[in-house]
Amino acid sequence: MIAEEDLLRANWYGFVARFLAAPPDQSALSLAAGFDSKGDDTQRDSQGDGSDLGTALGILARLARQTTPQEAEEEYFNLFIGVGRGELMPYGSYYLTGFLNEKPLAHLRRDMARLGMSRAEDVKEPEDHIAALCDMMAGLITGSFGAPATLETQHEFFQRHLSPWAGRFFGDLERARHARLYQPVGTIGRLLIDIDRAAYGMNA
């Protein structure tokens, strides 16, 4: 039985991954646009309480209602793809070493194999893309790769592959020149990393 708070964490990791893996389609924009409504399990304890997360969700909801899929695709292109390269490089190896496909990626692939995870055949991005790592965290929590991972295993994966750099990436996304819709996504991601750092510290 997965605790409700852990399912909520998994939902947030999955939501962030959805926006970072590819431009949001109308379905994803509609989901985000509903975040200032009451009663959704994903929003519970984060709406209407004046928290930083609640504020970011409200901003994202407003922007999602004002953004077309075409505009979202253009923003995503400028941020993460670009002509030559995007404004941001959403890879662990790049943030940790300044280069792509370095030792952090090799270490991640070793841990993925140990935990029964592999890159989907239709995915071309290296496994240390921030979206992939968020998906992996969600899967470890919910048991997508077998039985739900223990808190110890989750903590170990988070400490090795997200904590050293993901907070910096999400902060950069908040401040990125091309970020409009993605500015509050950056805030949500940064807060999620902060929440997990605190939670795993308490369970250490």
Side-chain angles (χ1 to χ4, degrees), residues 111-162:
D111 284 348
M112 287 174 62
R114 178 172 57 85
L115 294 168
M117 298 186 287
S118 61
R119 183 173 65 177
E121 292 183 1
D122 59 342
V123 173
K124 297 180 180 179
E125 298 284 358
E127 295 89 330
D128 61 346
H129 190 287
I130 186 65
L133 288 167
C134 287
D135 259 339
M136 289 180 213
M137 277 300 302
L140 288 172
I141 295 167
T142 60
S144 296
F145 312 110
T150 64
L151 280 176
E152 180 181 4
T153 298
Q154 294 176 38
H155 182 196
E156 182 180 272
F157 188 88
F158 176 84
Q159 287 294 102
R160 287 184 178 180
H161 304 299
L162 278 163

Side-chain angles (χ1 to χ4, degrees), residues 29 32-36 55-67 180-181 183-184:
L29 289 171
F35 279 167
D36 58 355
T55 299
L57 290 170
I59 294 170
L60 178 60
R62 174 175 55 81
L63 291 172
R65 287 193 294 269
Q66 299 170 355
T67 303
R180 179 178 175 270
L181 176 69
Q183 187 275 329

Side-chain angles (χ1 to χ4, degrees), residues 36-186:
D36 58 355
S37 302
K38 300 294 188 286
D40 188 284
D41 286 344
T42 307
Q43 304 161 57
R44 191 178 301 161
D45 297 328
S46 62
Q47 291 294 328
D49 59 3
S51 68
D52 290 342
L53 181 56
T55 299
L57 290 170
I59 294 170
L60 178 60
R62 174 175 55 81
L63 291 172
R65 287 193 294 269
Q66 299 170 355
T67 303
T68 67
Q70 292 75 21
E71 290 169 336
E73 183 174 4
E74 181 178 351
E75 183 173 337
Y76 185 93
F77 178 86
N78 289 329
L79 283 169
F80 305 120
I81 301 174
V83 178
R85 56 162 285 183
E87 185 176 351
L88 300 178
M89 296 286 281
Y91 305 98
S93 286
Y94 184 83
Y95 266 79
L96 295 172
T97 71
F99 299 95
L100 297 175
N101 302 315
E102 289 294 323
K103 284 185 178 179
L105 177 57
H107 295 161
L108 171 62
R109 285 172 173 166
R110 181 188 61 203
D111 284 348
M112 287 174 62
R114 178 172 57 85
L115 294 168
M117 298 186 287
S118 61
R119 183 173 65 177
E121 292 183 1
D122 59 342
V123 173
K124 297 180 180 179
E125 298 284 358
E127 295 89 330
D128 61 346
H129 190 287
I130 186 65
L133 288 167
C134 287
D135 259 339
M136 289 180 213
M137 277 300 302
L140 288 172
I141 295 167
T142 60
S144 296
F145 312 110
T150 64
L151 280 176
E152 180 181 4
T153 298
Q154 294 176 38
H155 182 196
E156 182 180 272
F157 188 88
F158 176 84
Q159 287 294 102
R160 287 184 178 180
H161 304 299
L162 278 163
S163 184
W165 72 279
R168 283 191 290 138
F169 165 78
F170 284 122
D172 289 344
L173 181 55
E174 288 181 276
R175 298 182 294 270
R177 181 168 58 90
H178 289 102
R180 179 178 175 270
L181 176 69
Y182 276 84
Q183 187 275 329
V185 175

Side-chain angles (χ1 to χ4, degrees), residues 151 155 159 194-204:
L151 280 176
H155 182 196
Q159 287 294 102
D194 289 345
I195 289 167
D196 260 12
R197 279 201 187 110
Y200 289 131
M202 290 171 62
N203 286 287

